[in-house]
Amino acid sequence: MADQNGHEFEDKWPGLNVRHLIMYTDDFIVFLDPELDVDWETSDEFDVESEKDRPTINAALNRAASLECIPNHHQDASVRLNFKRIVGEGLARAFTYDFENSNKIFDNAELYIRNRNVEIARYWQLMTSVIAGLSLILVATLIWTFRLYLIPVWGSTAFYLSLGALAGTAGATLSTIFRIGSAQITSEAEKKLHILEALSRVFGGGISGLIISLFVKLGIIIPLFKSSDQTCLAMVTAGLIAGASERWAPSLISQFEKGGSNIGKAKKL
């Protein structure tokens, strides 16, 4: 076996554009080309000799091709190189008729790249949530700083509903941070979809915060504060909790709708 600098394989396999050599013999060569694609060549003698094992070798070739189709171009060059090297090693084992170990190596390659994809997907979602959340928290800080000027213009209710909505985005951001390690994230989705999902969670938290803050103001929930001086604080606090909870707002809305339906039925009776 020659290293990349020695190019000893060129005596047997000339004219190949090899970036990283995996394995070569007189019968075959497996390597990575400059685009980090797994490539190979086999001799005519090997093709004849391996005819009886052709279905199994073809299955290995199909598996290698399928693995290469797993999204990996967004990964660092070192991660891509490691992944493609593992795939190439699996293919080389198939060419030596070691099909059991070939399948094990292919399994390792798939597990490796899927784990790396999940890691980077979590990074995309976390960074998007944190950036969006911090930006909206900054907006909330500015609104609170200029409250003496904004409340006369907006009105007290609209002002604290806005703070409740922004508190909901903060709650959703906190929820994402706390749950990112255990979240079931797909490794197949594109970067823009992960970013969109993270943004939808943040803005969904804002909508939940707005709705729950309104319910507090109307006395639908926590009626104790309906006429209290602490209503405004309760609105913002409830908005924060609503944003952190993925189920609270939908369940309350559902209960509210059911209550309205029951009232309608009672009137008909």
Side-chain angles (χ1 to χ4, degrees):
M1 176 73 67
D3 58 23
Q4 284 183 270
N5 296 325
H7 298 295
E8 295 177 12
F9 60 88
E10 290 183 346
D11 294 337
K12 173 63 179 178
W13 305 98
L16 299 179
N17 197 359
V18 177
R19 173 172 175 176
H20 184 88
L21 179 65
I22 303 294
M23 180 183 291
Y24 87 99
T25 67
D26 289 340
D27 293 325
F28 67 86
I29 181 172
V30 180
F31 60 94
L32 304 183
D33 66 16
E35 287 73 37
L36 290 183
D37 292 327
V38 179
D39 208 345
W40 71 93
E41 292 284 347
T42 56
S43 66
D44 294 336
E45 294 80 5
F46 176 81
D47 293 337
V48 174
E49 176 189 342
S50 62
E51 187 62 32
K52 63 179 183 303
D53 295 300
R54 182 55 50 187
T56 310
I57 292 177
N58 285 341
L61 292 172
N62 292 339
R63 181 78 187 279
S66 297
L67 288 173
E68 284 199 278
C69 289
I70 296 177
N72 62 89
H73 284 82
H74 53 275
Q75 295 286 354
D76 292 339
S78 60
V79 173
R80 294 191 62 218
L81 177 61
N82 290 336
F83 168 57
K84 296 302 183 73
R85 284 180 59 189
I86 300 173
V87 175
E89 290 287 352
L91 192 57
R93 296 300 177 273
F95 287 150
T96 59
Y97 308 106
D98 189 359
F99 301 118
E100 181 178 355
N101 282 321
S102 175
N103 287 325
K104 289 180 180 179
I105 294 175
F106 284 146
D107 291 340
N108 291 338
E110 182 172 5
L111 180 62
Y112 174 81
I113 195 61
R114 291 195 186 281
N115 285 342
R116 300 294 81 73
N117 281 346
V118 168
E119 289 171 2
I120 198 169
R122 284 176 174 163
Y123 172 79
W124 290 335
Q125 291 199 13
L126 183 59
M127 288 302 297
T128 301
S129 297
V130 169
I131 291 173
L134 289 178
S135 299
L136 293 170
I137 289 173
L138 177 60
V139 172
T141 302
L142 291 174
I143 290 177
W144 180 255
T145 301
F146 295 98
R147 62 188 180 280
L148 297 179
Y149 303 97
L150 295 176
I151 291 178
V153 177
W154 293 3
S156 178
T157 299
F159 178 82
Y160 283 101
L161 283 176
S162 299
L163 284 183
L166 291 170
T169 64
T173 302
L174 289 175
S175 177
T176 299
I177 293 173
F178 293 150
R179 299 183 184 186
I180 195 68
S182 59
Q184 298 297 321
I185 298 178
T186 176
S187 63
E188 302 297 331
E190 298 180 5
K191 179 179 181 179
K192 60 184 179 183
L193 293 179
H194 288 292
I195 293 176
L196 182 60
E197 179 178 347
L199 289 175
S200 68
R201 288 180 180 274
V202 173
F203 288 105
I207 294 173
S208 296
L210 176 64
I211 294 173
I212 298 304
S213 297
L214 179 61
F215 284 179
V216 172
K217 178 63 178 178
L218 296 176
I220 296 175
I221 60 174
I222 322 181
L224 177 64
F225 297 109
K226 183 176 181 181
S227 301
S228 171
D229 294 337
Q230 298 179 336
T231 300
C232 297
L233 177 61
M235 291 171 63
V236 176
T237 303
L240 177 66
I241 297 174
S245 174
E246 296 179 357
R247 297 183 178 180
W248 186 19
S251 64
L252 285 173
I253 294 171
S254 177
Q255 292 299 322
F256 185 71
E257 290 178 346
K258 289 181 180 178
S261 299
N262 291 334
I263 294 174
K265 291 180 180 179
K267 288 182 177 179
K268 289 182 180 179
L269 292 176

